Amino acid sequence: MSRRWLTEDHRIFQDSIRRFVEKEIIPNIDQWEKDRQVPRQIWRKMGEQGFLCPCLPVEYGGSGVDFSYSVIVQEELTRSTCSGVSTGVRVHADIVAPYILHHGTEDQKRAILPGCTTGDIILALGMTEPNCGSDVAAIRTTAIKSGGDYVINGQKTFISNGLSCDWVVLAVKTDPDAKPPHKGVSLLLVPADAPGFSKGRKLQKMGMHSQDTAELIFEDCRVPQENLLGQEGQGFRILMKNLQQERLVICIGAITIAEKMLEITIDYTKGRTAFGRPISSFQYNSFKLVEMATEIELGRTFVDALIEDHLEGKDITRRVSMGKWWLTELANRVAYDCIQLHGGYGYMEEYTICRLYRDVRPQTIVGGTNEIMKRILAKMMKL
Ligand SMILES: Cc1cc2nc3c(=O)[nH]c(=O)nc-3n(C[C@H](O)[C@H](O)[C@H](O)COP(=O)(O)OP(=O)(O)OC[C@H]3O[C@@H](n4cnc5c(N)ncnc54)[C@H](O)[C@@H]3O)c2cc1C
């Protein structure tokens, strides 16, 4: 596989994050899964090594490199199989920090971004509400001007980094009567200590146990009007623009975890014997492994092309929507077949594949469900 953008510097960076993952993350996964969280200390350690938000400009504490370095971080953290770290960092660094970098004022950037590179500040994105997920324009959380503040009322749910976050980029309605409704959506920067903001339940999920997903509650929560991110009424447009990178990040996660699951399963099936032979050598199983390897390689080629287009600043909306649905379904198919090839051991907690089977499930739901991807594509194809 040739990646035109991969230089010697990328390889050195990749080696250092691989060593970090082996020493600091892999030995702790079981404990963090039991604790249902990862400690703040691991964020700080990643910050010390320059693994958090490397793409931020140097004046905000980053390394001033391009998105390709984020790709390396995402791939290595995904390969660690620790959802708490990989998803947490992905949301923080590649999904939420860009909102502040691209749409924040100088004061907002200086107040928040340097802490994001050290692990002292963790970011979350609050869009989804108990009654509204896919239809973002229908959110009901309101932010109404009062004196020099916005007063926020409403609730968010399923928020990644919800309990650990220090700042939330929050989607609100500043004009609840706007027509069409999406013109009433704005984004606010809300600190965790804002009066009237409380964190609700840590949600008990099917998988991704070490990953923090929570409810956020706003009861007459006040933030200064200077905390508006971008302009009033522009929130929906900004969300739709930034969702393209979010979907690319999901594609990268999906293909990388599919590769990892196949690697684990090839090792297992070569070592396990039945009827006096490695189970990988039975024709049905070898064909299954070959089919998975083929689909994964096709998917990888597509993802790498998307990464290149994104690095060149091209509009990836159409192809990233295709990739998001196809690659996340591929990852789920691979998980299903890998469990089957592990036999009963695949269903046992001490086998990594068991955890990964659960952890890949929400990929078809997050970042815009796969049905929403097909809706976008159907519209683009004028169907
Ligand atoms: C682990 C996890 C982490 C998450 N992290 C975050 C986060 O950090 N921040 C955040 O804001 N949200 C987050 N979410 C929420 C996620 O983005 C939503 O769950 C998702 O957008 C779907 O919304 P919903 O759950 O309300 O489903 P609904 O919108 O109720 O959809 C239910 C079903 O109906 C289908 N459907 C809806 N509309 C259509 C249509 N027009 N055509 C065809 N089918 C349709 C959907 O595809 C889905 O299958 C997270 C979710 C999970 C599971």
PDB file of all heavy atoms in Angstrom, residues 91 124-135 156-161 205 208 211 213 246 362 365-372 375, ligand 1:
ATOM      1  N   VAL A  91     -12.817  12.085  19.304  1.00  0.00           N
ATOM      2  CA  VAL A  91     -13.864  13.104  19.474  1.00  0.00           C
ATOM      3  C   VAL A  91     -13.225  14.439  19.861  1.00  0.00           C
ATOM      4  O   VAL A  91     -13.522  15.491  19.293  1.00  0.00           O
ATOM      5  CB  VAL A  91     -14.894  12.645  20.538  1.00  0.00           C
ATOM      6  CG1 VAL A  91     -15.820  13.790  20.937  1.00  0.00           C
ATOM      7  CG2 VAL A  91     -15.692  11.453  20.028  1.00  0.00           C
ATOM      8  N   ALA A 124     -16.074  17.960  24.312  1.00  0.00           N
ATOM      9  CA  ALA A 124     -17.204  17.121  23.876  1.00  0.00           C
ATOM     10  C   ALA A 124     -18.066  17.934  22.920  1.00  0.00           C
ATOM     11  O   ALA A 124     -17.976  19.172  22.879  1.00  0.00           O
ATOM     12  CB  ALA A 124     -18.030  16.688  25.089  1.00  0.00           C
ATOM     13  N   LEU A 125     -18.891  17.215  22.162  1.00  0.00           N
ATOM     14  CA  LEU A 125     -19.806  17.872  21.217  1.00  0.00           C
ATOM     15  C   LEU A 125     -21.232  17.467  21.589  1.00  0.00           C
ATOM     16  O   LEU A 125     -21.569  16.281  21.577  1.00  0.00           O
ATOM     17  CB  LEU A 125     -19.490  17.405  19.791  1.00  0.00           C
ATOM     18  CG  LEU A 125     -20.405  17.913  18.675  1.00  0.00           C
ATOM     19  CD1 LEU A 125     -20.306  19.427  18.527  1.00  0.00           C
ATOM     20  CD2 LEU A 125     -20.050  17.249  17.347  1.00  0.00           C
ATOM     21  N   GLY A 126     -22.062  18.445  21.921  1.00  0.00           N
ATOM     22  CA  GLY A 126     -23.429  18.137  22.362  1.00  0.00           C
ATOM     23  C   GLY A 126     -24.456  18.511  21.310  1.00  0.00           C
ATOM     24  O   GLY A 126     -24.873  19.663  21.210  1.00  0.00           O
ATOM     25  N   MET A 127     -24.854  17.519  20.520  1.00  0.00           N
ATOM     26  CA  MET A 127     -25.907  17.748  19.518  1.00  0.00           C
ATOM     27  C   MET A 127     -27.160  16.962  19.895  1.00  0.00           C
ATOM     28  O   MET A 127     -28.255  17.488  19.981  1.00  0.00           O
ATOM     29  CB  MET A 127     -25.452  17.225  18.139  1.00  0.00           C
ATOM     30  CG  MET A 127     -24.547  18.137  17.382  1.00  0.00           C
ATOM     31  SD  MET A 127     -24.362  17.569  15.666  1.00  0.00           S
ATOM     32  CE  MET A 127     -23.488  16.069  15.854  1.00  0.00           C
ATOM     33  N   THR A 128     -26.967  15.642  20.114  1.00  0.00           N
ATOM     34  CA  THR A 128     -28.108  14.732  20.251  1.00  0.00           C
ATOM     35  C   THR A 128     -28.897  14.999  21.537  1.00  0.00           C
ATOM     36  O   THR A 128     -28.316  15.263  22.592  1.00  0.00           O
ATOM     37  CB  THR A 128     -27.599  13.275  20.228  1.00  0.00           C
ATOM     38  OG1 THR A 128     -26.810  13.106  19.050  1.00  0.00           O
ATOM     39  CG2 THR A 128     -28.741  12.272  20.225  1.00  0.00           C
ATOM     40  N   GLU A 129     -30.226  14.907  21.426  1.00  0.00           N
ATOM     41  CA  GLU A 129     -31.114  15.099  22.580  1.00  0.00           C
ATOM     42  C   GLU A 129     -31.988  13.851  22.741  1.00  0.00           C
ATOM     43  O   GLU A 129     -32.122  13.070  21.792  1.00  0.00           O
ATOM     44  CB  GLU A 129     -31.996  16.334  22.345  1.00  0.00           C
ATOM     45  CG  GLU A 129     -31.149  17.580  22.163  1.00  0.00           C
ATOM     46  CD  GLU A 129     -31.954  18.862  22.018  1.00  0.00           C
ATOM     47  OE1 GLU A 129     -33.207  18.790  21.934  1.00  0.00           O
ATOM     48  OE2 GLU A 129     -31.321  19.926  21.992  1.00  0.00           O
ATOM     49  N   PRO A 130     -32.614  13.700  23.908  1.00  0.00           N
ATOM     50  CA  PRO A 130     -33.424  12.488  24.104  1.00  0.00           C
ATOM     51  C   PRO A 130     -34.468  12.281  23.011  1.00  0.00           C
ATOM     52  O   PRO A 130     -34.734  11.146  22.613  1.00  0.00           O
ATOM     53  CB  PRO A 130     -34.079  12.726  25.467  1.00  0.00           C
ATOM     54  CG  PRO A 130     -33.133  13.639  26.181  1.00  0.00           C
ATOM     55  CD  PRO A 130     -32.522  14.511  25.135  1.00  0.00           C
ATOM     56  N   ASN A 131     -35.027  13.362  22.488  1.00  0.00           N
ATOM     57  CA  ASN A 131     -36.078  13.201  21.470  1.00  0.00           C
ATOM     58  C   ASN A 131     -35.622  13.503  20.058  1.00  0.00           C
ATOM     59  O   ASN A 131     -36.451  13.638  19.156  1.00  0.00           O
ATOM     60  CB  ASN A 131     -37.256  14.126  21.800  1.00  0.00           C
ATOM     61  CG  ASN A 131     -37.947  13.662  23.053  1.00  0.00           C
ATOM     62  OD1 ASN A 131     -38.262  12.489  23.186  1.00  0.00           O
ATOM     63  ND2 ASN A 131     -38.128  14.561  23.998  1.00  0.00           N
ATOM     64  N   CYS A 132     -34.327  13.654  19.864  1.00  0.00           N
ATOM     65  CA  CYS A 132     -33.902  14.111  18.541  1.00  0.00           C
ATOM     66  C   CYS A 132     -32.436  13.822  18.296  1.00  0.00           C
ATOM     67  O   CYS A 132     -31.573  14.301  19.051  1.00  0.00           O
ATOM     68  CB  CYS A 132     -34.216  15.607  18.497  1.00  0.00           C
ATOM     69  SG  CYS A 132     -33.182  16.555  17.466  1.00  0.00           S
ATOM     70  N   GLY A 133     -32.161  12.992  17.269  1.00  0.00           N
ATOM     71  CA  GLY A 133     -30.787  12.667  16.925  1.00  0.00           C
ATOM     72  C   GLY A 133     -30.503  12.978  15.476  1.00  0.00           C
ATOM     73  O   GLY A 133     -29.820  13.944  15.145  1.00  0.00           O
ATOM     74  N   SER A 134     -31.109  12.179  14.574  1.00  0.00           N
ATOM     75  CA  SER A 134     -30.837  12.367  13.142  1.00  0.00           C
ATOM     76  C   SER A 134     -31.291  13.739  12.650  1.00  0.00           C
ATOM     77  O   SER A 134     -30.640  14.346  11.803  1.00  0.00           O
ATOM     78  CB  SER A 134     -31.562  11.287  12.328  1.00  0.00           C
ATOM     79  OG  SER A 134     -31.138  10.010  12.732  1.00  0.00           O
ATOM     80  N   ASP A 135     -32.396  14.221  13.181  1.00  0.00           N
ATOM     81  CA  ASP A 135     -32.985  15.479  12.710  1.00  0.00           C
ATOM     82  C   ASP A 135     -32.454  16.640  13.554  1.00  0.00           C
ATOM     83  O   ASP A 135     -33.143  17.170  14.427  1.00  0.00           O
ATOM     84  CB  ASP A 135     -34.519  15.356  12.839  1.00  0.00           C
ATOM     85  CG  ASP A 135     -35.240  16.544  12.256  1.00  0.00           C
ATOM     86  OD1 ASP A 135     -34.578  17.424  11.672  1.00  0.00           O
ATOM     87  OD2 ASP A 135     -36.479  16.596  12.400  1.00  0.00           O
ATOM     88  N   LYS A 156     -29.039  17.032  26.732  1.00  0.00           N
ATOM     89  CA  LYS A 156     -28.357  16.301  25.659  1.00  0.00           C
ATOM     90  C   LYS A 156     -28.127  14.868  26.134  1.00  0.00           C
ATOM     91  O   LYS A 156     -28.013  14.621  27.347  1.00  0.00           O
ATOM     92  CB  LYS A 156     -27.018  16.966  25.330  1.00  0.00           C
ATOM     93  CG  LYS A 156     -27.143  18.414  24.841  1.00  0.00           C
ATOM     94  CD  LYS A 156     -27.671  18.489  23.416  1.00  0.00           C
ATOM     95  CE  LYS A 156     -27.978  19.920  23.005  1.00  0.00           C
ATOM     96  NZ  LYS A 156     -28.493  20.009  21.621  1.00  0.00           N
ATOM     97  N   THR A 157     -28.032  13.956  25.194  1.00  0.00           N
ATOM     98  CA  THR A 157     -27.762  12.568  25.601  1.00  0.00           C
ATOM     99  C   THR A 157     -26.784  11.910  24.626  1.00  0.00           C
ATOM    100  O   THR A 157     -26.554  12.426  23.527  1.00  0.00           O
ATOM    101  CB  THR A 157     -29.074  11.754  25.706  1.00  0.00           C
ATOM    102  OG1 THR A 157     -28.783  10.528  26.405  1.00  0.00           O
ATOM    103  CG2 THR A 157     -29.684  11.413  24.341  1.00  0.00           C
ATOM    104  N   PHE A 158     -26.233  10.778  25.062  1.00  0.00           N
ATOM    105  CA  PHE A 158     -25.256   9.987  24.281  1.00  0.00           C
ATOM    106  C   PHE A 158     -23.979  10.777  24.018  1.00  0.00           C
ATOM    107  O   PHE A 158     -23.333  10.572  22.977  1.00  0.00           O
ATOM    108  CB  PHE A 158     -25.825   9.547  22.919  1.00  0.00           C
ATOM    109  CG  PHE A 158     -27.116   8.783  22.949  1.00  0.00           C
ATOM    110  CD1 PHE A 158     -27.984   8.844  21.868  1.00  0.00           C
ATOM    111  CD2 PHE A 158     -27.455   7.984  24.016  1.00  0.00           C
ATOM    112  CE1 PHE A 158     -29.174   8.130  21.847  1.00  0.00           C
ATOM    113  CE2 PHE A 158     -28.652   7.261  24.025  1.00  0.00           C
ATOM    114  CZ  PHE A 158     -29.512   7.347  22.941  1.00  0.00           C
ATOM    115  N   ILE A 159     -23.593  11.692  24.902  1.00  0.00           N
ATOM    116  CA  ILE A 159     -22.464  12.573  24.584  1.00  0.00           C
ATOM    117  C   ILE A 159     -21.126  11.924  24.956  1.00  0.00           C
ATOM    118  O   ILE A 159     -20.861  11.649  26.139  1.00  0.00           O
ATOM    119  CB  ILE A 159     -22.615  13.961  25.268  1.00  0.00           C
ATOM    120  CG1 ILE A 159     -23.991  14.563  24.896  1.00  0.00           C
ATOM    121  CG2 ILE A 159     -21.466  14.890  24.887  1.00  0.00           C
ATOM    122  CD1 ILE A 159     -24.298  14.667  23.403  1.00  0.00           C
ATOM    123  N   SER A 160     -20.308  11.677  23.936  1.00  0.00           N
ATOM    124  CA  SER A 160     -18.978  11.095  24.153  1.00  0.00           C
ATOM    125  C   SER A 160     -18.126  12.104  24.920  1.00  0.00           C
ATOM    126  O   SER A 160     -18.184  13.306  24.632  1.00  0.00           O
ATOM    127  CB  SER A 160     -18.302  10.783  22.817  1.00  0.00           C
ATOM    128  OG  SER A 160     -19.107   9.922  22.064  1.00  0.00           O
ATOM    129  N   ASN A 161     -17.338  11.615  25.876  1.00  0.00           N
ATOM    130  CA  ASN A 161     -16.540  12.455  26.790  1.00  0.00           C
ATOM    131  C   ASN A 161     -17.457  13.296  27.689  1.00  0.00           C
ATOM    132  O   ASN A 161     -17.013  14.285  28.277  1.00  0.00           O
ATOM    133  CB  ASN A 161     -15.567  13.399  26.051  1.00  0.00           C
ATOM    134  CG  ASN A 161     -14.525  12.645  25.253  1.00  0.00           C
ATOM    135  OD1 ASN A 161     -14.308  11.463  25.476  1.00  0.00           O
ATOM    136  ND2 ASN A 161     -13.869  13.314  24.319  1.00  0.00           N
ATOM    137  N   LYS A 205     -23.547   1.161  28.324  1.00  0.00           N
ATOM    138  CA  LYS A 205     -23.629   0.796  26.910  1.00  0.00           C
ATOM    139  C   LYS A 205     -23.407  -0.704  26.703  1.00  0.00           C
ATOM    140  O   LYS A 205     -22.829  -1.383  27.537  1.00  0.00           O
ATOM    141  CB  LYS A 205     -22.564   1.570  26.120  1.00  0.00           C
ATOM    142  CG  LYS A 205     -22.676   3.085  26.285  1.00  0.00           C
ATOM    143  CD  LYS A 205     -21.762   3.817  25.321  1.00  0.00           C
ATOM    144  CE  LYS A 205     -20.284   3.615  25.554  1.00  0.00           C
ATOM    145  NZ  LYS A 205     -19.786   4.115  26.843  1.00  0.00           N
ATOM    146  N   MET A 208     -17.924  -0.670  24.279  1.00  0.00           N
ATOM    147  CA  MET A 208     -17.102   0.530  24.523  1.00  0.00           C
ATOM    148  C   MET A 208     -17.174   0.933  25.997  1.00  0.00           C
ATOM    149  O   MET A 208     -17.433   2.078  26.336  1.00  0.00           O
ATOM    150  CB  MET A 208     -17.569   1.687  23.620  1.00  0.00           C
ATOM    151  CG  MET A 208     -17.305   1.416  22.162  1.00  0.00           C
ATOM    152  SD  MET A 208     -17.976   2.630  21.001  1.00  0.00           S
ATOM    153  CE  MET A 208     -17.584   4.154  21.709  1.00  0.00           C
ATOM    154  N   GLN A 211     -15.244   3.765  27.531  1.00  0.00           N
ATOM    155  CA  GLN A 211     -15.513   5.070  26.920  1.00  0.00           C
ATOM    156  C   GLN A 211     -16.651   5.771  27.643  1.00  0.00           C
ATOM    157  O   GLN A 211     -17.668   5.146  27.949  1.00  0.00           O
ATOM    158  CB  GLN A 211     -15.859   4.849  25.440  1.00  0.00           C
ATOM    159  CG  GLN A 211     -15.443   6.000  24.560  1.00  0.00           C
ATOM    160  CD  GLN A 211     -16.496   7.073  24.511  1.00  0.00           C
ATOM    161  OE1 GLN A 211     -17.670   6.760  24.508  1.00  0.00           O
ATOM    162  NE2 GLN A 211     -16.071   8.302  24.511  1.00  0.00           N
ATOM    163  N   THR A 213     -19.695   8.007  28.046  1.00  0.00           N
ATOM    164  CA  THR A 213     -20.841   8.516  27.267  1.00  0.00           C
ATOM    165  C   THR A 213     -21.912   8.920  28.271  1.00  0.00           C
ATOM    166  O   THR A 213     -22.317   8.098  29.097  1.00  0.00           O
ATOM    167  CB  THR A 213     -21.399   7.412  26.338  1.00  0.00           C
ATOM    168  OG1 THR A 213     -20.314   6.817  25.627  1.00  0.00           O
ATOM    169  CG2 THR A 213     -22.400   7.966  25.336  1.00  0.00           C
ATOM    170  N   GLU A 246     -15.561  14.452  10.612  1.00  0.00           N
ATOM    171  CA  GLU A 246     -15.996  13.446  11.598  1.00  0.00           C
ATOM    172  C   GLU A 246     -16.235  12.109  10.896  1.00  0.00           C
ATOM    173  O   GLU A 246     -15.844  11.051  11.385  1.00  0.00           O
ATOM    174  CB  GLU A 246     -17.276  13.922  12.309  1.00  0.00           C
ATOM    175  CG  GLU A 246     -17.863  12.860  13.209  1.00  0.00           C
ATOM    176  CD  GLU A 246     -18.923  13.379  14.195  1.00  0.00           C
ATOM    177  OE1 GLU A 246     -19.110  14.606  14.271  1.00  0.00           O
ATOM    178  OE2 GLU A 246     -19.536  12.546  14.872  1.00  0.00           O
ATOM    179  N   PRO A 362     -21.752   0.378  17.319  1.00  0.00           N
ATOM    180  CA  PRO A 362     -22.362   1.702  17.112  1.00  0.00           C
ATOM    181  C   PRO A 362     -21.806   2.477  15.924  1.00  0.00           C
ATOM    182  O   PRO A 362     -22.319   3.553  15.600  1.00  0.00           O
ATOM    183  CB  PRO A 362     -22.064   2.441  18.424  1.00  0.00           C
ATOM    184  CG  PRO A 362     -20.878   1.772  18.990  1.00  0.00           C
ATOM    185  CD  PRO A 362     -20.950   0.334  18.562  1.00  0.00           C
ATOM    186  N   ILE A 365     -24.199   3.821  13.598  1.00  0.00           N
ATOM    187  CA  ILE A 365     -25.194   4.748  14.173  1.00  0.00           C
ATOM    188  C   ILE A 365     -24.617   6.156  14.383  1.00  0.00           C
ATOM    189  O   ILE A 365     -25.293   7.148  14.118  1.00  0.00           O
ATOM    190  CB  ILE A 365     -25.712   4.178  15.520  1.00  0.00           C
ATOM    191  CG1 ILE A 365     -26.439   2.854  15.277  1.00  0.00           C
ATOM    192  CG2 ILE A 365     -26.616   5.172  16.238  1.00  0.00           C
ATOM    193  CD1 ILE A 365     -26.674   2.014  16.517  1.00  0.00           C
ATOM    194  N   VAL A 366     -23.352   6.229  14.852  1.00  0.00           N
ATOM    195  CA  VAL A 366     -22.793   7.541  15.213  1.00  0.00           C
ATOM    196  C   VAL A 366     -22.413   8.360  13.980  1.00  0.00           C
ATOM    197  O   VAL A 366     -22.274   7.822  12.884  1.00  0.00           O
ATOM    198  CB  VAL A 366     -21.544   7.383  16.129  1.00  0.00           C
ATOM    199  CG1 VAL A 366     -21.928   6.724  17.439  1.00  0.00           C
ATOM    200  CG2 VAL A 366     -20.452   6.584  15.434  1.00  0.00           C
ATOM    201  N   GLY A 367     -22.270   9.678  14.214  1.00  0.00           N
ATOM    202  CA  GLY A 367     -21.780  10.571  13.143  1.00  0.00           C
ATOM    203  C   GLY A 367     -22.758  10.716  11.994  1.00  0.00           C
ATOM    204  O   GLY A 367     -22.357  11.045  10.868  1.00  0.00           O
ATOM    205  N   GLY A 368     -24.037  10.477  12.264  1.00  0.00           N
ATOM    206  CA  GLY A 368     -25.042  10.402  11.191  1.00  0.00           C
ATOM    207  C   GLY A 368     -25.220   8.930  10.876  1.00  0.00           C
ATOM    208  O   GLY A 368     -24.245   8.247  10.518  1.00  0.00           O
ATOM    209  N   THR A 369     -26.439   8.415  11.045  1.00  0.00           N
ATOM    210  CA  THR A 369     -26.636   6.970  10.850  1.00  0.00           C
ATOM    211  C   THR A 369     -26.401   6.613   9.376  1.00  0.00           C
ATOM    212  O   THR A 369     -26.393   7.484   8.502  1.00  0.00           O
ATOM    213  CB  THR A 369     -28.076   6.546  11.215  1.00  0.00           C
ATOM    214  OG1 THR A 369     -28.973   7.170  10.286  1.00  0.00           O
ATOM    215  CG2 THR A 369     -28.442   6.935  12.633  1.00  0.00           C
ATOM    216  N   ASN A 370     -26.258   5.314   9.136  1.00  0.00           N
ATOM    217  CA  ASN A 370     -26.000   4.897   7.751  1.00  0.00           C
ATOM    218  C   ASN A 370     -27.191   5.199   6.851  1.00  0.00           C
ATOM    219  O   ASN A 370     -27.034   5.451   5.649  1.00  0.00           O
ATOM    220  CB  ASN A 370     -25.629   3.414   7.729  1.00  0.00           C
ATOM    221  CG  ASN A 370     -24.206   3.215   8.238  1.00  0.00           C
ATOM    222  OD1 ASN A 370     -23.569   4.172   8.699  1.00  0.00           O
ATOM    223  ND2 ASN A 370     -23.693   2.004   8.139  1.00  0.00           N
ATOM    224  N   GLU A 371     -28.395   5.207   7.427  1.00  0.00           N
ATOM    225  CA  GLU A 371     -29.582   5.561   6.625  1.00  0.00           C
ATOM    226  C   GLU A 371     -29.497   7.043   6.227  1.00  0.00           C
ATOM    227  O   GLU A 371     -29.839   7.405   5.097  1.00  0.00           O
ATOM    228  CB  GLU A 371     -30.870   5.289   7.417  1.00  0.00           C
ATOM    229  CG  GLU A 371     -31.140   3.809   7.670  1.00  0.00           C
ATOM    230  CD  GLU A 371     -30.215   3.187   8.710  1.00  0.00           C
ATOM    231  OE1 GLU A 371     -29.754   3.907   9.623  1.00  0.00           O
ATOM    232  OE2 GLU A 371     -29.937   1.973   8.609  1.00  0.00           O
ATOM    233  N   ILE A 372     -29.011   7.862   7.159  1.00  0.00           N
ATOM    234  CA  ILE A 372     -28.873   9.297   6.831  1.00  0.00           C
ATOM    235  C   ILE A 372     -27.809   9.480   5.738  1.00  0.00           C
ATOM    236  O   ILE A 372     -27.963  10.316   4.838  1.00  0.00           O
ATOM    237  CB  ILE A 372     -28.558  10.128   8.107  1.00  0.00           C
ATOM    238  CG1 ILE A 372     -29.756  10.070   9.075  1.00  0.00           C
ATOM    239  CG2 ILE A 372     -28.179  11.568   7.779  1.00  0.00           C
ATOM    240  CD1 ILE A 372     -31.080  10.629   8.566  1.00  0.00           C
ATOM    241  N   ARG A 375     -29.446   8.772   2.592  1.00  0.00           N
ATOM    242  CA  ARG A 375     -30.377   9.863   2.270  1.00  0.00           C
ATOM    243  C   ARG A 375     -29.597  11.023   1.605  1.00  0.00           C
ATOM    244  O   ARG A 375     -30.049  11.584   0.613  1.00  0.00           O
ATOM    245  CB  ARG A 375     -31.010  10.317   3.595  1.00  0.00           C
ATOM    246  CG  ARG A 375     -32.257  11.099   3.437  1.00  0.00           C
ATOM    247  CD  ARG A 375     -33.008  11.195   4.746  1.00  0.00           C
ATOM    248  NE  ARG A 375     -34.085  12.157   4.576  1.00  0.00           N
ATOM    249  CZ  ARG A 375     -34.125  13.326   5.169  1.00  0.00           C
ATOM    250  NH1 ARG A 375     -33.178  13.709   5.978  1.00  0.00           N
ATOM    251  NH2 ARG A 375     -35.142  14.140   4.950  1.00  0.00           N
TER     252      ARG A 375
HETATM  253  C1  LIG B   1     -21.692   5.414  21.440  1.00  0.00           C
HETATM  254  C2  LIG B   1     -22.363   6.660  20.967  1.00  0.00           C
HETATM  255  C3  LIG B   1     -21.669   7.867  21.025  1.00  0.00           C
HETATM  256  C4  LIG B   1     -22.295   9.053  20.606  1.00  0.00           C
HETATM  257  N1  LIG B   1     -21.626  10.253  20.747  1.00  0.00           N
HETATM  258  C5  LIG B   1     -22.285  11.405  20.470  1.00  0.00           C
HETATM  259  C6  LIG B   1     -21.685  12.673  20.739  1.00  0.00           C
HETATM  260  O1  LIG B   1     -20.530  12.756  21.176  1.00  0.00           O
HETATM  261  N2  LIG B   1     -22.399  13.791  20.493  1.00  0.00           N
HETATM  262  C7  LIG B   1     -23.667  13.760  20.004  1.00  0.00           C
HETATM  263  O2  LIG B   1     -24.262  14.810  19.812  1.00  0.00           O
HETATM  264  N3  LIG B   1     -24.266  12.567  19.733  1.00  0.00           N
HETATM  265  C8  LIG B   1     -23.615  11.407  19.966  1.00  0.00           C
HETATM  266  N4  LIG B   1     -24.212  10.193  19.720  1.00  0.00           N
HETATM  267  C9  LIG B   1     -25.560  10.184  19.195  1.00  0.00           C
HETATM  268  C10 LIG B   1     -25.652   9.765  17.726  1.00  0.00           C
HETATM  269  O3  LIG B   1     -25.117  10.756  16.906  1.00  0.00           O
HETATM  270  C11 LIG B   1     -27.150   9.493  17.451  1.00  0.00           C
HETATM  271  O4  LIG B   1     -27.484   8.301  18.170  1.00  0.00           O
HETATM  272  C12 LIG B   1     -27.446   9.342  15.978  1.00  0.00           C
HETATM  273  O5  LIG B   1     -27.297  10.576  15.326  1.00  0.00           O
HETATM  274  C13 LIG B   1     -28.874   8.825  15.743  1.00  0.00           C
HETATM  275  O6  LIG B   1     -29.805   9.550  16.441  1.00  0.00           O
HETATM  276  P1  LIG B   1     -30.895   8.789  17.360  1.00  0.00           P
HETATM  277  O7  LIG B   1     -30.165   7.854  18.236  1.00  0.00           O
HETATM  278  O8  LIG B   1     -31.755   9.809  17.982  1.00  0.00           O
HETATM  279  O9  LIG B   1     -31.727   7.917  16.343  1.00  0.00           O
HETATM  280  P2  LIG B   1     -33.018   8.390  15.494  1.00  0.00           P
HETATM  281  O10 LIG B   1     -32.732   9.679  14.823  1.00  0.00           O
HETATM  282  O11 LIG B   1     -34.199   8.289  16.374  1.00  0.00           O
HETATM  283  O12 LIG B   1     -33.085   7.235  14.402  1.00  0.00           O
HETATM  284  C14 LIG B   1     -33.580   5.928  14.697  1.00  0.00           C
HETATM  285  C15 LIG B   1     -33.540   5.103  13.413  1.00  0.00           C
HETATM  286  O13 LIG B   1     -34.345   5.755  12.416  1.00  0.00           O
HETATM  287  C16 LIG B   1     -33.555   5.981  11.257  1.00  0.00           C
HETATM  288  N5  LIG B   1     -33.945   7.229  10.600  1.00  0.00           N
HETATM  289  C17 LIG B   1     -34.086   8.474  11.142  1.00  0.00           C
HETATM  290  N6  LIG B   1     -34.424   9.354  10.186  1.00  0.00           N
HETATM  291  C18 LIG B   1     -34.471   8.665   9.030  1.00  0.00           C
HETATM  292  C19 LIG B   1     -34.764   9.011   7.664  1.00  0.00           C
HETATM  293  N7  LIG B   1     -35.038  10.265   7.312  1.00  0.00           N
HETATM  294  N8  LIG B   1     -34.715   8.045   6.724  1.00  0.00           N
HETATM  295  C20 LIG B   1     -34.436   6.756   7.045  1.00  0.00           C
HETATM  296  N9  LIG B   1     -34.161   6.367   8.323  1.00  0.00           N
HETATM  297  C21 LIG B   1     -34.170   7.309   9.285  1.00  0.00           C
HETATM  298  C22 LIG B   1     -32.114   6.074  11.755  1.00  0.00           C
HETATM  299  O14 LIG B   1     -31.198   5.817  10.703  1.00  0.00           O
HETATM  300  C23 LIG B   1     -32.122   5.007  12.841  1.00  0.00           C
HETATM  301  O15 LIG B   1     -31.943   3.747  12.233  1.00  0.00           O
HETATM  302  C24 LIG B   1     -23.605   9.003  20.098  1.00  0.00           C
HETATM  303  C25 LIG B   1     -24.278   7.767  19.999  1.00  0.00           C
HETATM  304  C26 LIG B   1     -23.668   6.615  20.444  1.00  0.00           C
HETATM  305  C27 LIG B   1     -24.410   5.320  20.354  1.00  0.00           C
END
